[in-house]
Amino acid sequence: MKSFNIYLTGVGGQGIGLLSEILLRSADHAGLKVKAVDTHGLAQRGGVVISHLRFGEKVFSPLIFRNQADLVIALERHEALRGLNSALKDNGTLIYYDTVWQPLEVRINSADPVTKEMIQRICRKRNIRDLPIFKADLKDARMQNMVVLANIERNKLIPGIKKEHYDEAMKDLMQGTMLKTNLKLFEEERRR
Amino acid sequence: MKTLGEILLKQTPFSEIVMGNTALVRAMIESHTRVITSYPGSPTPEIAEAIRAIPKEKRPFYFEFSVNEKVATEVAYGAAVNGHLATVFFKSVGLNVAADTFVQLSLMNIIGGMVIVLGDDPGANSSQNEQDNRHYACLSYTPVFEPASPTEIYTFYKAAAKLSKDKGMPVILRLTTHICHAKEKIDFQGWHDRELDKTPRFDTKNGPYVPIAADVFPMKRKALQRLETVEKYADQSPLNQIFDHGNSNRGVITMGLPFLSLMDVLEFADNKPDILKLGMVYPIPVKMVEDFLRVHIEVKILEELDNVIEKEIKKLAYDRQLSTKIFGKMDLEDWIGEYTPDKVFEILKKTWPDLLTAMDAPKDMVSSAPARPPQMCPGCGHRSAFHAIKKALRDTDITVADIGCHTLGFLPPYQMGELLMCMGASTAMGSGLSLFNDTRNVVVFLGDSTFFHAGLPGIINALFNNHNVTLILMENGTTAMTGHQDHAASGQNFNEPTDKIPLRRVLEGLGVRHIYEIDTYQQAKLTEMVKDAINIKEFSAVIARHPCMLKFTREQRRKPGYQPRRVDIDQQKCHRLYECIRDFGCPTFTQMADGRIEIHPDLCIGDGSCVQTCPSEAISMPKVV
Ligand SMILES: Cc1ncc(C[n+]2csc(CCOP(=O)(O)OP(=O)(O)O)c2C)c(N)n1
């Protein structure tokens, strides 16, 4: 198989770490060779958090070349645009949770907010599949990542990874009610 | 669920996906490392997280977070000369703090063995510089192993520990940020615990251990002799590898993360150069390098940060009168930043313009996303402190930052803490700024972990020499920025509860005459206190206290019956003065397209520190949602 590169991005506190770990382990359960790296450090203090995931036989560095990601997953709209610009290749796929955590400059009016339409326009121009996701009745914001995961599965965005692989990965990482609620949400959303 | 603690102690061989930092812990266990010490700093804190995953009674070693890196190094050394294999780990700049002790280590006969694990940070991902700690290795005659992946962290540590024990000398395992944090599947070997030999084996006969006067030279001679033997060891070591692409024209000598980047970049090359990948970067395997130079017409040294290896190799080529064309650093940019695949692509293109085919790049790049600098969390006590303290100061007053979450105060809208150096430097820099200065008040900030780490000498100096500065201790009860490690005033160390060493008692003991103390959420009172404090024309201290709310909220969420709370904005009362976003600046406040301010439901933690900041009293007290 050709290598497959995923660039995962969001804001510190959004649960990027868990999502990235699930994807990584799902790929492993699917028999893919994996490499990954998360950015830590200052990130958890409201900055940008990024995770690189690379699947395939001929993968060395965990870091993806600029604009060579096949799939960009973002948990926030501004970060979706940043990821689209800096990481995604033409003809790739962008999936993002359409919530907004305003960066400082936007809050104080010194920069324009990013709109859904803006992202859509760029995606069209670059022939990128654009999948904004939002679940209005979601109670716990920390489960937005699970809604995104379910939609990744539903749209079969990662070649080679099947539903059972996602399930197995979740079981590796969670237990008790947390596992139950997450599996339930995952199941509901992927069938929607 | 797989629990990390159980995985790490498995007796039979197994494979698992882990981060480099976690792989290190398994390697330490398999090597029977008995004493491990550290002071937190990125990229290494996850090593301690993995250790924490093993219940204390089951840990086959002793671990502590010491008060600073120098102390951590000394504790590890003490244990090692008593016969225990020891390891100390910390971030890049930690070695500056530990240096006074570290540079002596190679003079000693460290009978138990001692590995110094360094988390260097090319790219300054989370550090105040990107210093290349290999220089310290040269200056102290200490061998350096440099892994390129989590798997290599695991195997290289074991080799380093063995070498160190065999030779009784310190050995460095040099990691970098994206090696520490990389994840991959590793095949681990089995392991059996050995009974701990508790005999204190310190014996002056193994020494000398006192480098004074005439003893210094024989000790130095021994250190140099040992290093010579390691040079031979390096030449035999399987950790240095050749990747033969059958290219007699071109070769690359590289190591660590740049090696991985190179391998990815070479997917774009038809005629791949041969590669010598160094696993030992100090001393270099001389014979191997010489042979590699001899069989290539041109050799590129692909080396992140400084030209440490380049100088060694050029010296070697000169001594052996080799005619190989050696390409080292070509311009200033080669010295700066992490050698990511993109960077290595550019460097190779610069070196050999014909080597690589072009990469597809998107053509239509237009808009850019607004920057998202890190910021203090919702409810952060430091935010309340800055908001209040700013009101007590004039624009011309000088505010000095220290290292920690409060450093983020330099960003808008607070712009507090206009100078930053390194841990513990604020009080003494402020003391210097106060000399000949009768017009501008000097206010210095200091975090509580930093107070104990390196803050005390500056404070004592200010008292001893009577400097007129106001110290603001930003006490949040934890080492927040690096992931909430306990410190001497937390009442808990890594292993057990301990007596707190309260900041106030330390200050009183030192004889500080003017001490103020307040919870930072009492903003108006804090403003008044700081006004008082800066009017005193001698050293004064304000303890501005509030628990780290990120830690606090996480702990609350885990408790049964936890009920989330939030503030609300009464749109009738809101006069759109925007103090909440422009001055107080909690990220919860979101400006809507019509100019309205709303509370972000995912961000507000219901701490209520903002309520007092609204001049129109439009923010309601937090309520359960
Ligand atoms: C010599 C050195 N060691 C470690 C670090 C890593 N470091 C960065 S911020 C920080 C936390 C300081 O804690 P504290 O003073 O309590 O401030 P807080 O982050 O809690 O506000 C540390 C240890 C460093 N920058 N320099």
Side-chain angles (χ1 to χ4, degrees):
Chain A
M1 187 191 111
K2 233 177 104 278
S3 69
F4 191 80
N5 298 321
I6 305 175
Y7 184 90
L8 191 54
T9 176
V11 186
Q14 283 197 302
I16 279 267
L18 180 63
L19 182 54
S20 141
E21 193 72 27
I22 293 175
L23 291 173
L24 183 63
R25 286 180 179 271
S26 311
D28 179 54
H29 285 302
L32 304 174
K33 220 174 132 191
V34 299
K35 293 232 178 194
V37 69
D38 300 340
T39 61
H40 295 234
L42 288 178
Q44 60 175 304
R45 307 291 174 261
V48 184
V49 198
I50 291 159
S51 194
H52 299 241
L53 294 117
R54 307 193 62 202
F55 307 151
E57 289 303 318
K58 271 200 174 169
V59 163
F60 296 94
S61 172
L63 298 165
I64 307 169
F65 281 107
R66 261 187 93 77
N67 290 109
Q68 299 298 319
D70 300 279
L71 172 64
V72 166
I73 305 167
L75 294 184
E76 196 270 352
R77 194 195 290 158
H78 291 82
E79 297 322 311
L81 175 63
R82 203 187 315 280
L84 169 63
N85 283 340
S86 67
L88 194 55
K89 61 170 156 199
D90 286 351
N91 314 316
T93 303
L94 169 70
I95 182 168
Y96 67 102
Y97 196 83
D98 193 25
T99 185
V100 169
W101 288 23
Q102 288 185 340
L104 181 77
E105 289 179 6
V106 173
R107 265 187 285 135
I108 60 177
N109 279 338
S110 67
D112 291 330
V114 171
T115 63
K116 212 167 149 175
E117 293 68 39
M118 240 162 108
I119 293 181
Q120 204 175 39
R121 255 197 324 271
I122 299 171
C123 286
R124 247 185 234 143
K125 225 164 156 185
R126 293 178 49 198
N127 193 27
I128 283 164
R129 183 167 172 208
D130 167 27
L131 292 163
I133 307 291
F134 188 78
K135 182 172 162 60
D137 57 344
L138 189 68
K139 281 194 201 71
D140 188 344
R142 284 169 305 157
M143 291 177 80
Q144 291 166 355
N145 54 10
M146 215 38 67
V147 178
V148 172
L149 184 72
N151 281 282
I152 291 172
E153 199 287 324
R154 192 158 74 105
N155 293 287
K156 310 281 179 262
L157 297 187
I158 310 176
I161 307 189
K162 300 206 175 70
K163 175 199 141 30
E164 59 265 30
H165 304 133
Y166 293 113
D167 284 347
E168 278 175 80
M170 282 193 259
K171 285 176 196 156
D172 284 348
L173 296 165
M174 296 180 268
Q175 61 186 5
T177 31
M178 182 177 174
L179 175 64
K180 257 220 210 100
T181 24
N182 279 291
L183 279 178
K184 185 161 165 271
L185 181 65
F186 177 70
E187 198 52 37
E188 281 166 13
E189 288 303 304
R190 88 182 180 89
R191 285 164 176 279
R192 187 179 278 270
Chain B
M1 189 170 98
K2 298 182 173 182
T3 74
L4 185 57
E6 283 165 23
I7 292 171
L8 284 168
L9 291 178
K10 262 194 189 167
Q11 310 258 322
T12 46
F14 65 101
S15 319
E16 188 61 56
I17 300 177
V18 293
M19 178 195 321
N21 281 342
T22 308
L24 176 70
V25 176
R26 175 69 185 191
M28 292 197 281
I29 291 171
E30 285 183 30
S31 304
H32 302 283
T33 308
R34 291 303 186 190
V35 172
I36 306 170
T37 60
S38 177
Y39 181 76
S42 191
T44 65
E46 301 80 13
I47 301 171
E49 291 311 307
I51 291 174
R52 197 187 292 283
I54 308 171
K56 190 184 137 206
E57 357 30 278
K58 293 203 176 147
R59 280 175 216 152
F61 51 77
Y62 170 83
F63 174 75
E64 72 171 40
F65 269 127
S66 310
V67 156
N68 67 29
E69 293 85 352
K70 181 168 184 285
V71 173
T73 306
E74 288 150 0
V75 173
Y77 168 70
V81 290
N82 229 0
H84 302 295
L85 176 57
T87 291
V88 59
F89 65 87
F90 43 70
K91 77 181 274 122
S92 57
V93 291
L95 190 52
N96 303 329
V97 177
D100 214 3
T101 299
F102 168 79
V103 296
Q104 296 299 100
L105 294 177
S106 65
L107 301 183
M108 311 299 175
N109 180 17
I110 305 179
I111 56 169
M114 178 168 175
V115 182
I116 298 98
V117 178
L118 299 177
D120 276 11
D121 190 15
N125 298 283
S126 48
S127 315
Q128 62 266 33
N129 70 19
E130 55 169 6
Q131 70 184 50
D132 189 333
N133 274 337
R134 294 175 302 170
H135 292 293
Y136 275 106
C138 308
L139 129 85
S140 64
Y141 323 123
T142 311
V144 183
F145 287 66
E146 185 160 334
S149 65
T151 306
E152 288 191 354
I153 291 184
Y154 170 65
T155 50
F156 284 27
Y157 175 86
K158 294 204 282 186
K162 180 161 188 327
L163 178 69
S164 174
K165 203 166 168 75
D166 289 349
K167 298 201 183 283
M169 74 192 297
V171 175
I172 292 173
L173 182 74
R174 179 177 182 259
L175 314 179
T176 58
T177 298
H178 287 129
I179 310 288
C180 286
H181 295 160
K183 294 180 197 168
E184 66 186 8
K185 197 167 198 170
I186 301 181
D187 296 325
F188 291 104
Q189 293 180 347
W191 165 79
H192 289 288
D193 200 3
R194 266 189 219 144
E195 201 176 337
L196 172 62
D197 174 7
K198 292 188 177 170
T199 324
R201 295 190 182 278
F202 176 71
D203 190 339
T204 51
K205 286 200 207 82
N206 294 323
Y209 290 105
V210 183
I212 290 263
D215 272 346
V216 172
F217 302 113
M219 289 170 91
K220 176 171 175 180
R221 196 163 290 118
K222 211 167 75 195
L224 289 165
Q225 282 162 352
R226 273 197 303 217
L227 191 66
E228 262 179 8
T229 66
V230 178
E231 238 171 64
K232 298 206 180 71
Y233 166 95
D235 257 321
Q236 312 290 316
S237 170
L239 304 188
N240 303 305
Q241 279 174 287
I242 303 255
F243 294 77
D244 189 350
H245 295 131
N247 193 329
S248 56
N249 266 326
R250 290 172 175 175
V252 180
I253 301 179
T254 188
M255 69 296 289
L257 184 93
F259 163 74
L260 298 180
S261 300
L262 173 69
M263 293 299 276
D264 279 337
V265 167
L266 291 184
E267 290 296 305
F268 296 88
D270 292 330
N271 207 352
K272 296 188 193 344
D274 294 339
I275 301 170
L276 169 55
K277 174 186 177 294
L278 300 178
M280 290 201 68
V281 296
Y282 188 77
I284 55 168
V286 173
K287 179 81 179 45
M288 217 173 168
V289 171
E290 184 185 341
D291 291 347
F292 191 80
L293 292 176
R294 280 191 193 285
V295 297
H296 294 99
I297 297 167
E298 297 182 340
V299 167
K300 170 75 181 175
I301 321 278
L302 186 69
E303 168 181 31
E304 205 165 46
L305 300 179
D306 300 348
N307 62 350
V308 179
I309 303 290
E310 177 184 336
K311 283 190 289 191
E312 296 280 325
I313 292 176
K314 284 184 171 165
K315 172 171 146 291
L316 180 75
Y318 178 84
D319 288 346
R320 309 286 150 93
Q321 301 186 333
L322 303 180
S323 59
T324 319
K325 171 115 186 73
I326 299 174
F327 297 101
K329 304 258 176 211
M330 299 172 79
D331 59 34
L332 280 188
E333 290 311 309
D334 288 356
W335 294 69
I336 300 170
E338 190 175 16
Y339 275 26
T340 59
D342 291 296
K343 178 121 186 162
V344 168
F345 193 94
E346 292 310 314
I347 290 172
L348 281 197
K349 228 165 64 182
K350 212 158 51 182
T351 312
W352 291 311
D354 62 332
L355 181 70
L356 305 169
T357 54
M359 212 187 305
D360 295 336
K363 283 150 230 90
D364 290 315
M365 300 291 277
V366 268
S367 59
S368 66
R372 188 186 296 278
Q375 51 190 332
M376 287 173 276
C377 308
C380 180
H382 296 341
R383 171 178 294 104
S384 281
F386 286 131
H387 189 63
I389 295 164
K390 195 162 186 169
K391 294 190 168 138
L393 304 182
R394 294 165 308 188
D395 278 352
T396 52
D397 291 343
I398 302 173
T399 55
V400 185
D402 212 289
I403 300 273
C405 285
H406 79 263
T407 311
L408 298 175
F410 86 98
L411 292 166
Y414 322 101
Q415 283 150 319
M416 299 274 274
E418 304 155 293
L419 305 81
L420 174 72
M421 187 69 71
C422 58
M423 284 188 78
S426 62
T427 311
M429 285 198 293
S431 300
L433 283 158
S434 74
L435 296 174
F436 307 116
N437 171 6
D438 299 325
T439 50
R440 302 169 70 185
N441 295 306
V442 179
V443 173
V444 309
F445 298 101
L446 188 65
D448 43 1
S449 190
T450 310
F451 174 82
F452 295 106
H453 172 284
L456 282 168
I459 296 173
I460 295 171
N461 185 68
L463 291 163
F464 176 48
N465 290 305
N466 197 19
H467 290 300
N468 176 20
V469 300
T470 298
L471 166 68
I472 302 194
L473 283 171
M474 307 289 267
E475 185 180 5
N476 58 7
T478 186
T479 315
M481 179 147 265
T482 47
H484 303 123
Q485 296 81 7
D486 292 314
H487 58 59
S490 302
Q492 171 91 29
N493 64 24
F494 193 85
N495 301 308
E496 67 213 346
T498 57
D499 287 340
K500 282 186 188 184
I501 304 178
L503 304 191
R504 182 177 188 111
R505 282 237 308 275
V506 177
L507 295 176
E508 283 169 354
L510 294 175
V512 178
R513 276 197 287 267
H514 315 281
I515 305 176
Y516 302 80
E517 197 173 355
I518 192 156
D519 186 293
T520 64
Y521 278 18
Q522 298 192 42
Q523 295 171 11
K525 281 197 188 141
L526 175 56
T527 306
E528 287 315 306
M529 276 183 183
V530 174
K531 278 186 189 157
D532 285 354
I534 56 180
N535 278 327
I536 299 166
K537 293 301 158 209
E538 59 179 25
F539 184 79
S540 58
V542 180
I543 301 174
R545 174 180 302 134
H546 197 83
C548 168
M549 293 306 279
L550 180 61
K551 180 165 184 265
F552 178 80
T553 311
R554 275 186 195 158
E555 286 164 359
Q556 294 302 314
R557 278 198 182 123
R558 268 185 232 124
K559 290 186 182 158
Y562 163 75
Q563 290 188 303
R565 285 146 39 106
R566 250 179 253 151
V567 298
D568 198 8
I569 292 182
D570 184 338
Q571 299 295 348
Q572 251 71 59
K573 285 194 193 163
C574 175
H575 291 120
R576 310 221 167 150
L577 302 171
Y578 300 124
E579 172 122 355
C580 54
I581 41 172
R582 286 189 198 144
D583 298 315
F584 189 60
C586 179
T588 297
F589 297 108
T590 304
Q591 181 158 192
M592 311 311 280
D594 60 1
R596 225 168 358 112
I597 297 295
E598 284 198 354
I599 300 296
H600 198 303
D602 300 354
L603 286 166
C604 182
I605 60 164
D607 53 282
S609 59
C610 53
V611 174
Q612 60 196 303
T613 65
C614 178
S616 333
E617 299 182 2
I619 308 177
S620 69
M621 290 305 281
K623 280 194 240 6
V624 171
V625 286

